[in-house]
Amino acid sequence: MKVKIFEAWRDKPLDEVLYECRELLEDTSFPTVRRWRESGGKVVGHFQVYFPEEIVHAAGILPFKVCGAQIEAVQADSRFGSYLCSILKTSLELALSKRVELDMFVTHPICDAARNLGAVWGRNFPYSCQILYLPQNANSPAAVTYLRNEYARLQRAVEVIAGKPVKEDDLRRSLGIYNRNRALLRELYAIKRETPWLVSADEAYVLVAIGGLIPREEHNELLEAVLPQIAARPNKKQDKIRLVFEGGFCEQPPLDLIRAIARSCYVVDDDFMIGLRWILEDVPLDGDPLFNLAFAYLEKSSYSPVQHDLRKPKEKMLIERIKNSRAEAAIVSAAKMCEPGLEEQVAYLHALDKEGIPYFISEFEEKMTTFEHMEIQLETFVENILFS
């Protein structure tokens, strides 16, 4: 489809572009998804963390990243137990309240709650609800072949929704578009890492996260227009410490929380929306597209608590992230009730202690609205580092 669903940013100066992006990201009526459907398009929603969007994109369907929202789970709350993370409930609430309408939903067994989300979703909607089984043993010699076949199964399900086959050339075209997108996101993070005074943590977050709401072609256009303007900003370096934020891999912190952190620190790297940046290099366009995509997921990828790969111990990867970005400290956070995130914190803290890297521990929930207490604590933490 050639329809454009996010035009508000065009022909505007940088600050207004960022404002329009923030407005779209915080709009819980999801106007871009609605416009896509109104133009006759279909939508596949996929839950956190990583999803091979190229397969859905190649079918001419909009991949929509389902990652909760700052809403009350009025209807969804009764579908779940009490001690579960907020993102599960608000994600289902988006569909129950008809804020978003899907043609298919896909989740992943990243934790017990997410694994059961597909069944809960399927009991409430007539459309297909799938579980994409990413390899539990990423180190097995059979992992790539297994995942390639799992992607093929997903492709067949998507073809039913699309009403047409997805050809290899369609997949290669989508791979090319997504390769460009990932390259642009790497460029954004390079600016954030090398000259963090040019782009704040909340601005960078908005520019990444909006990719889950619009077609990648439009996201590429936006980034291609915005990145040169960011690089040309006359902003001056401030006396702030450089730090890494770890813990935003699934449920996302409120944008105002990220903005509050940015007032005290330069966030030079993080795992916000890591699924959109999971693959670290271009996926080859020659050969079998599904095999190449599966290989990239396993061999050319980042890390998170929900992928179990013995070659990528999470604590070692965090230390590398800190050192590669020349950060002076870390914020180690986790969403409330997030089992994978809270489990990894123990290993993270031991590794940081061993390396002598200062850290600030926190937790968050997507529906938080007040951050004054956390901000005061963070400012004290930063001052201790600056004046020690």
Side-chain angles (χ1 to χ4, degrees):
M1 293 180 65
K2 300 297 183 183
V3 61
K4 302 286 187 181
I5 59 175
F6 181 44
E7 296 278 72
W9 65 272
R10 296 184 186 276
D11 302 318
K12 291 183 177 178
L14 179 58
D15 288 345
E16 291 185 30
V17 171
L18 292 169
Y19 171 79
E20 294 294 346
C21 291
R22 280 194 297 269
E23 287 292 293
L24 175 59
L25 190 62
E26 295 188 303
D27 189 340
T28 57
S29 70
F30 296 92
T32 52
V33 179
R34 186 177 65 249
R35 288 182 205 122
W36 180 268
R37 291 192 66 86
E38 288 172 351
S39 67
K42 294 184 176 180
V43 181
V44 169
H46 59 90
F47 192 64
Q48 295 276 53
V49 172
Y50 171 78
F51 179 76
E53 289 193 359
E54 291 91 333
I55 296 171
V56 172
H57 180 275
I61 297 173
L62 178 68
F64 168 62
K65 193 164 186 63
V66 179
C67 51
Q70 283 192 298
I71 58 174
E72 289 297 324
V74 178
Q75 300 178 64
D77 201 45
S78 62
R79 271 79 170 181
F80 296 100
S82 301
Y83 299 103
L84 293 174
C85 57
S86 175
I87 186 175
L88 290 169
K89 299 175 183 180
T90 58
S91 292
L92 182 61
E93 183 71 25
L94 294 178
L96 290 172
S97 62
K98 299 190 183 300
R99 288 179 170 89
V100 294
E101 295 187 50
L102 306 177
D103 298 281
M104 179 178 175
F105 175 72
V106 185
T107 187
H108 317 273
I110 58 174
C111 64
D112 288 343
R115 183 182 67 244
N116 293 323
L117 181 60
V120 175
W121 207 291
R123 286 199 296 269
N124 287 276
F125 299 99
Y127 50 76
S128 174
C129 296
Q130 299 272 339
I131 297 177
L132 178 64
Y133 291 95
L134 300 170
Q136 291 298 302
N137 181 5
N139 306 121
S140 167
V144 176
T145 301
Y146 161 80
L147 185 56
R148 188 263 173 224
N149 293 334
E150 184 68 358
Y151 284 175
R153 181 185 67 81
L154 173 66
Q155 179 181 320
R156 291 191 293 272
V158 169
E159 288 172 339
V160 172
I161 305 301
K164 64 178 183 180
V166 175
K167 300 177 181 178
E168 285 196 353
D169 285 344
D170 298 326
L171 284 167
R172 291 190 183 98
R173 177 180 172 276
S174 292
L175 285 174
I177 291 168
Y178 276 76
N179 281 344
R180 176 59 179 158
N181 187 254
R182 287 185 283 263
L184 289 165
L185 293 178
R186 290 195 296 270
E187 184 179 339
L188 172 61
Y189 266 70
I191 295 172
K192 182 175 172 176
R193 184 173 58 251
E194 300 302 324
T195 52
W197 50 91
L198 296 181
V199 59
S200 65
D202 54 298
E203 290 172 338
Y205 178 85
V206 165
L207 289 172
V208 174
I210 202 172
L213 304 176
I214 59 178
R216 275 303 182 280
E217 294 91 334
E218 289 194 48
H219 196 211
N220 289 351
E221 286 184 68
L222 171 65
L223 293 173
E224 286 168 347
V226 163
L227 291 179
Q229 297 180 61
I230 290 175
R233 271 176 159 174
N235 299 10
K236 301 297 183 183
K237 183 179 179 180
Q238 297 179 342
D239 189 19
K240 295 181 178 180
I241 69 165
R242 300 167 60 94
L243 59 74
V244 161
F245 184 101
E246 190 80 12
F249 61 94
C250 186
E251 184 171 325
Q252 297 298 292
L255 186 57
D256 285 341
L257 174 58
I258 301 173
R259 188 179 294 118
I261 294 170
R263 284 195 285 267
S264 300
C265 322
Y266 289 134
V267 180
V268 291
D269 206 351
D270 56 64
D271 62 349
F272 299 141
M273 286 290 182
I274 193 64
L276 297 178
R277 305 181 287 117
W278 182 257
I279 295 175
L280 302 176
E281 301 176 13
D282 284 355
V283 179
L285 304 185
D286 297 331
D288 179 355
L290 292 181
F291 182 90
N292 293 343
L293 193 56
F295 184 86
Y297 169 80
L298 290 163
E299 304 294 337
K300 306 292 183 182
S301 56
S302 187
Y303 71 97
S304 90
V306 299
Q307 188 197 47
H308 307 289
D309 189 332
L310 297 177
R311 299 166 300 178
K312 296 189 287 187
K314 313 302 184 301
E315 59 274 25
K316 177 184 175 184
M317 300 302 289
L318 172 58
I319 299 301
E320 285 185 11
R321 173 173 277 166
I322 292 169
K323 292 182 176 180
N324 291 342
S325 60
R326 306 187 305 282
E328 302 161 74
I331 294 178
V332 180
S333 192
K336 290 182 179 181
M337 307 295 179
C338 176
E339 183 180 344
L342 291 167
E343 280 182 352
E344 292 298 339
Q345 274 197 350
V346 177
Y348 288 153
L349 301 188
H350 280 303
L352 291 166
D353 283 333
K354 185 177 180 180
E355 294 287 333
I357 298 172
Y359 53 85
F360 179 86
I361 305 173
S362 70
E363 69 174 4
F364 64 86
E365 193 171 27
E366 60 185 0
K367 59 185 179 183
M368 288 171 64
T369 56
T370 58
F371 316 102
E372 289 84 357
H373 184 62
M374 184 280 299
E375 197 167 1
I376 291 170
Q377 290 180 319
L378 181 59
E379 287 173 358
T380 303
F381 171 76
V382 170
E383 288 173 2
N384 284 338
I385 294 174
L386 285 173
F387 301 115
S388 60

